Amino acid sequence: MSTPPTSNPPTTRLWGGLEGVRVQLEQVTLVRGGTTVFESLNLDLTERRIGLIGDNGAGKSSLFRLICGLDRPKTGQVHVHGPSSVGMMFQNPDEQIIFPTVEDELGLSLQASGLSRQAARTRAREWLLARGLGAWAERAIGSLSQGQRQHVCWLSLLIASHGLLLLDEPFSNLDLPGQAQLDREVAEAAQHIILSTHVLQHIRHFERVIWLDAGAVRLDGPGHAVCMAYEADVAARSARPT
């Protein structure tokens, strides 16, 4: 069920996008360290839930970095329309968390809206208490497990009220209860979300999933169909003699 890779495939759209958020990549070429990551990539992203799948090194994290402005294309344009801001969760929470306590870390997200540090900490404590996590407020980040730190990164995105969230392998450090909780909270979140993962059960129901292969769009469509095609391709590759 696989199709040959192409940098700019024709796409039949079988879904309806929601108004308010739109990300456009127009003829984007990204080169990093002499390696071409994307060449003439075109994407138009409007759906409320979009999954990104593909092997390691396919370009999923690089796509996120382009959308949030951490990387700049060599050629082409990246446009983000609609949301007041874009928030990104990194694969490794230790590369994202700055402050020593949970309330300070969440407060940082609120300070961008103009609150003082003390007011932001107070608002963060109240927000955590309303979510049944009041005991987390003064906890030291160093006392948390990797999965709990990942959850802090997620909470930091939610409290900041970004319009678009980019989640890079958000399930990778979570145990099964943690995955179930995040899965539920992603479903309930008001924001538009683009989520990359190797755990396909969490995005199989998404209205749109994009399979990246060596920096090109291999397949783009409803989640169940794209995930099934990727699984079949992985199975076929695994069955080949080495």
Side-chain angles (χ1 to χ4, degrees):
M1 295 184 64
S2 60
T3 58
T6 174
S7 60
N8 187 19
T11 301
T12 300
R13 302 295 288 277
L14 302 177
W15 48 78
L18 299 180
E19 295 293 328
V21 175
R22 185 179 189 183
V23 179
Q24 293 175 290
L25 286 82
E26 301 174 348
Q27 292 293 310
V28 167
T29 294
L30 175 66
V31 178
R32 185 184 297 120
T35 300
T36 299
V37 181
F38 298 121
E39 184 171 6
S40 301
L41 179 66
N42 291 291
L43 284 171
D44 191 353
L45 310 174
T46 60
E47 290 73 23
R48 185 169 175 267
R49 293 291 181 268
I50 299 175
L52 284 182
I53 62 175
D55 297 352
N56 291 333
K60 301 184 296 296
S61 297
S62 294
L63 179 58
F64 281 163
R65 292 177 64 87
L66 280 169
I67 293 173
C68 70
L70 291 176
D71 282 347
R72 299 290 183 182
K74 180 179 179 180
T75 59
Q77 299 290 326
V78 179
H79 302 286
V80 180
H81 308 280
S84 56
S85 59
V86 178
M88 178 174 172
M89 179 192 291
F90 291 75
Q91 290 185 25
N92 183 353
D94 293 334
E95 295 178 354
Q96 184 163 351
I97 294 174
I98 298 174
F99 283 99
T101 68
V102 173
E103 64 182 3
D104 283 328
E105 184 64 26
L106 269 61
L108 175 64
S109 298
L110 294 171
Q111 286 178 254
S113 65
L115 291 179
S116 68
R117 182 174 181 182
Q118 185 56 48
R121 290 178 65 187
T122 300
R123 181 80 60 82
R125 284 197 297 270
E126 294 171 348
W127 189 82
L128 286 167
L129 185 63
R131 296 178 68 89
L133 296 171
W136 277 47
E138 297 183 357
R139 289 195 64 177
I141 296 296
S143 71
L144 303 179
S145 69
Q146 282 295 102
Q148 289 171 326
R149 295 179 195 186
Q150 193 88 323
H151 193 59
V152 170
C153 293
W154 167 244
L155 294 174
S156 296
L157 294 181
L158 288 182
I159 199 172
S161 299
H162 299 290
L164 171 64
L165 304 182
L166 310 175
L167 309 184
D168 196 358
E169 298 290 348
F171 299 102
S172 59
N173 292 309
L174 302 181
D175 57 15
L176 288 179
Q179 290 187 38
Q181 179 181 358
L182 180 59
D183 200 39
R184 182 178 66 254
E185 293 182 354
V186 165
E188 295 171 351
Q191 293 91 338
H192 285 238
I193 293 176
I194 306 176
L195 188 157
S196 76
T197 185
H198 295 293
V199 189
L200 302 187
Q201 70 191 59
H202 297 299
I203 52 116
R204 195 180 301 274
H205 61 286
F206 279 15
E207 54 193 318
R208 183 179 181 186
V209 170
I210 299 168
W211 170 9
L212 291 178
D213 184 0
V217 176
R218 178 77 172 264
L219 199 60
D220 182 349
H224 65 89
V226 177
C227 289
M228 185 180 300
Y230 178 60
E231 289 170 325
D233 182 77
V234 171
R237 284 185 283 146
S238 299
R240 294 172 189 161
T242 55

